[in-house]
Amino acid sequence: MHFLIPVVAAAPTAALITLNFDPYYTPLSPQLKQGQSVKIEYDLQRAKCPHAYYKGVDTWTVTVFYAFNNNFTAIQQQPIAYTNVGFPMAYERPIIENLPQGKLSMWFLCSSELGTTYDSDYGRNYNFNIQ
């Protein structure tokens, strides 16, 4: 007797695109496609807020905020750099998964007890088309 064993192929994974925000360069127009995921590489040298310290440990944070298709009532956020008292700064490379078609807008907030600053292309946000 023979049995047929169904073979289930793994679903193809969408390509992961990296957006690099280094101190002197901002990604201009990457080819983003619906369904892809985006990894954010943010160089902390861009964070211009007053860096506060407590007992020699960083106490400032950087957060990425983003919205799709100008829907700024549905803003999402993910941490990039943060601290817990007594521990060194943690650095994340956030991933935004399953991009919808349209537009991705993002900006960054650096904050500490001494003040906050935005990295937002002078208030215009960093905008990327998604095909």
Side-chain angles (χ1 to χ4, degrees):
M1 184 185 272
H2 292 52
F3 294 98
L4 294 176
I5 300 173
V7 176
V8 178
T13 57
L16 180 66
I17 303 295
T18 301
L19 295 177
N20 290 302
F21 290 84
D22 73 24
Y24 308 105
Y25 173 77
T26 301
L28 298 177
S29 56
Q31 297 295 316
L32 301 180
K33 294 188 168 116
Q34 181 178 357
Q36 286 182 319
S37 296
V38 172
K39 179 169 68 170
I40 310 299
E41 291 278 352
Y42 187 83
D43 192 309
L44 295 181
Q45 291 182 51
R46 292 177 69 106
K48 302 299 183 194
C49 68
H51 294 184
Y53 302 91
Y54 176 75
K55 294 187 178 180
V57 176
D58 296 300
T59 59
W60 49 279
T61 63
V62 177
T63 305
V64 60
F65 292 85
Y66 57 97
F68 296 105
N69 301 318
N70 294 323
N71 184 1
F72 295 107
T73 60
I75 295 171
Q76 300 177 55
Q77 66 184 44
Q78 293 189 40
I80 291 179
Y82 56 92
T83 58
N84 291 315
V85 176
F87 294 95
M89 179 167 278
Y91 179 75
E92 301 284 338
R93 291 168 180 83
I95 294 176
I96 303 170
E97 297 181 331
N98 196 21
L99 297 176
Q101 187 173 13
K103 183 172 94 172
L104 167 64
S105 298
M106 67 175 56
W107 59 99
F108 303 88
L109 172 67
C110 179
S111 61
S112 76
E113 61 188 24
L114 303 175
T116 61
T117 60
Y118 286 92
D119 179 357
S120 62
D121 194 21
Y122 301 97
R124 294 183 295 256
N125 300 329
Y126 299 105
N127 296 292
F128 305 98
N129 291 322
I130 306 167
Q131 300 176 356

